[in-house]
Every structure is written in structure tokens, then in C-alpha cells.
Amino acid sequence: MARNLRVGVQRGLRQSIGGGLGTGDIFTLSPASFDFSRTNTKDSRITFTRASSGTFVGADGLIQTAATNEARFDHDLITGESLGLLVEESRTNLVTYSEQLNQWTAGSNTTVTANAATAPDGTNTADRLELPQQSSTFISSNTFITSGTTYTASVYVKAVTPGTNDQFTLSFGGPQGSNATSRLTATSEWQRFTATMTPSFSGGAKPFIVNNEGDDFSSDIYVWGVQVEEASFATSYISTTSSQVARATDVVEITGTDFSSFYNQSEGTVFAEYSVLGDKTGFSQFIYDFSDGTNDNALRQFKRSGNNQTVSTVRISGSSKGRIEGNTNTPFNERYKTAYALDGTNAQRAIKGIASSESGVSMPTVDQLRLGGRQDNTFLATCHISRFVYFPTRLTEATLE
């Protein structure tokens, strides 16, 4: 019977990695299989919390709002592709009136028409921004940014007439030069444009600006959902009015009997398909963390900062065992698949079909699982988790590859 289970699980994993499963096929092989991108639902074993609302792109291509403690299943705004469970750290939109540009400071030759078009969320809240090719054409935020701090701005833009006056720039503290983007071009479809910059200027704090590169050309665009975050990459949209708004951290956990019902203390294999959306400079981002509630005993995988390496490791009594890094290229914002197998003697891992191994690896004693962060709510990830599977048996290297 044990051999039949192992063979069946190995066959299931091969099918899963190859994308050949029909709905529900893999769930008959393991009690801990979560295909978030296919089902767009939260399994009852998962405890999900977030102390605020949060937005995501729905299957219909519109930006939707999830209530407090409601999981988000995201989609690509352009292609509609299902991306899986969205897990994010806490972020704050520093810009006020993110959908009401008529509340911003406008140049004397600027025209802002409120509620002029259907926005990416399906409401009639997109504003039209007209910037002729003459002096004093811009809109500037009522929130100010400081020199030497890294910010990421994001804004949804659509051309009024594609191919005509469809360009614009984003500026961090000045209308042009080193603190501004190059010309960005809108199209007939809504796109989210992002820019990351560490502005350098003198004279105190300055506003974030949408303009036409120092009045060098005319712009006629629809604008909605402006966001500025003190971070190195953008996260999901946070709507604001008269004050800044924070989105809380997503917490995804399996504990208690929901965990013990599938975890095998003697051997196991973890399969994950995910993408990490950006580099948090100086901080690793944990994709999963099996632990005993401390940092002493754990089985985990995380994306390192500053390079394209993903680390899989075990901790026993506070010491790292079976740490596998390798040089497998796993860029940020790219979806890939990993498998990590242990049997109490050694560990093997495969990423993109490339296997690595470490000997002398014991099994950690754990009783819970955290997705998208470490158990102590540190090293939080901003990621899409498409699929996550725990097999209660150690699979072969050939199967992992």
C-alpha cells in the first residue's frame, strides 16, 4: 500500500507540474493541495486575516475591493490570466484624493474634468487631464515627498485619442530632469504605469507631479488611481480621499488539527508555484514557513534580496540544515515552480527542472504553516501563490525534476 501511495503521488506531481490535471485530480492524492489560480477560492483549512480591505483585479478585468479578512485572488489587468492568491505586506498610499484630481493643485493652463470616463473599477470616476504645450501645465499632489527617500508611484492611464497627445511624465519633486520619468505613452486600454525613484533635490519637501515634461508637448489623457508608496516596487491599489490610507498585512496560516491532519513528521515533499513581485532591498521574502511557532525548528523557502536566488532550508534547534541555494535563476516578478523533498536523512530540491541536494538533514518538529511570511510576522512577502501542495511522502529526484 505504501508503494502504491508513493507511485500515485509521484504521478500526481508530474501531472501537476506539467499542468495536465483536471479540476480536483490532485486533491485525491494529497489532503493539502491548494490550486489557487484555478479555483480562486480559500480552502477551509486556511485561516486568513487582514485588518483592512484590499483591492485586486477580478476575473472580469475590473479592480474590486475585498473586505477585511477576505482573501484576494488576483488576475492580470491586461490578459485576464488568473495569478492566484495575492499576499502582501502592509503599505500606505501617501497621495490623498487618489481618484479626484480636481482636488489637486493644478497649473493655470491645466484643465481637469472630473468623472469623465469609466475607470478600471467600472465606475464613472476617471478624470480627464488636458495639458497644452504651454507654460504652467501640471497637477501636483497635496502630499509632499522628501529628498533621498525611495518612492514608487503608480497610476492608471488611458489615452483620450490614442496616437494623439497620449504622452505624459511622472515627477518626484520637480517638473523634469533627473527626478522625472521619460515620456510614457498611454493607449486605448487602461494600463498601470509605475516608476521607482530616489529623488534628490534641495529646499525641503516637494509634491508628486503629473505633467508634460516641462510643457514640451501636449497631453490629453484619462487618469485614475494615483498611488505613491515609500518602497521599491508597487503593490495593489489603495484608494484615498482626504487622508492617506494604509492596507494591512495579509496573514495566511494553517494550524491545529487542520495542519496535523496532513503533515508527516517522517518525510514529505513541498511543491510551490509562485512569483515574488519585487525586491525588498535588504530583506528576504518568505514564501512558506513550516514551524513550531518559533524560529528554532522550521522548514522554509524564501527569496533573497538583491539577486536571483531562492533558498530552501531546514532549522533544527536553531541551526540551519539542508540549506540549498544554488545559482538557479529565479527573477522577481516571474512565475516559477519549486519542489523540496526530505526524509530525515537528506534533502533534495528542484527549481525549473534543476536539482540540488544536501545530506545529513533531519526532519524538523513543526505544527503550523505560514504562507507569504515567517511565523513571527517578519520577512513578509509580496507575491502571487498559484499552487501549493504538500505530499506526505518524499518524492524521487527524477520526479522533482
Side-chain angles (χ1 to χ4, degrees), residues 70-302:
E70 181 183 356
R72 298 175 290 167
F73 299 92
D74 209 14
H75 297 74
D76 187 275
L77 180 68
I78 304 299
T79 67
E81 177 189 9
S82 179
L83 303 175
L85 177 66
L86 176 60
V87 183
E88 297 182 299
E89 64 177 341
S90 177
R91 288 285 185 87
T92 298
N93 187 358
L94 304 177
V95 169
T96 58
Y97 296 107
S98 62
E99 300 169 22
Q100 299 169 269
L101 301 186
N102 57 322
Q103 298 291 331
W104 290 35
T105 299
S108 58
N109 291 317
T110 296
T111 300
V112 178
T113 305
N115 305 328
T118 303
D121 67 349
T123 64
N124 190 51
T125 54
D127 295 344
R128 182 176 179 177
L129 177 62
E130 296 176 81
L131 305 171
Q133 189 177 357
Q134 60 187 96
S135 62
S136 191
T137 54
F138 63 87
I139 53 169
S140 62
S141 68
N142 299 321
T143 301
F144 290 80
I145 59 180
T146 58
S147 178
T149 300
T150 298
Y151 298 95
T152 294
S154 54
V155 56
Y156 293 88
V157 181
K158 178 181 177 180
V160 173
T161 305
T164 303
N165 300 333
D166 54 5
Q167 295 184 319
F168 63 100
T169 57
L170 304 176
S171 304
F172 297 79
Q176 55 191 336
S178 61
N179 295 324
T181 66
S182 57
R183 297 185 185 188
L184 304 171
T185 303
T187 68
S188 60
E189 302 294 333
W190 283 107
Q191 297 180 72
R192 193 186 196 195
F193 293 85
T194 65
T196 299
M197 195 168 294
T198 305
S200 177
F201 50 76
S202 58
K206 295 185 178 182
F208 172 74
I209 299 173
V210 181
N211 67 0
N212 53 350
E213 199 177 83
D215 314 315
D216 288 346
F217 54 88
S218 296
S219 300
D220 187 7
I221 54 178
Y222 295 121
V223 180
W224 183 85
V226 185
Q227 185 157 304
V228 175
E229 303 168 70
E230 189 176 325
S232 57
F233 60 91
T235 61
S236 62
Y237 172 58
I238 305 168
S239 177
T240 69
T241 53
S242 59
S243 60
Q244 299 174 355
V245 175
R247 182 197 59 248
T249 299
D250 293 307
V251 180
V252 187
E253 298 177 308
I254 303 178
T255 60
T257 56
D258 289 327
F259 179 84
S260 61
S261 65
F262 66 77
Y263 186 75
N264 182 358
Q265 190 58 61
S266 301
E267 60 179 295
T269 302
V270 185
F271 169 73
E273 181 178 6
Y274 59 90
S275 64
V276 179
L277 302 188
D279 187 1
K280 291 170 60 178
T281 305
F283 291 91
S284 297
Q285 299 184 60
F286 276 55
I287 306 306
Y288 60 79
D289 186 29
F290 293 79
S291 78
D292 62 354
T294 74
N295 193 39
D296 291 335
N297 298 289
L299 187 166
R300 55 183 44 152
Q301 186 169 109
F302 55 89

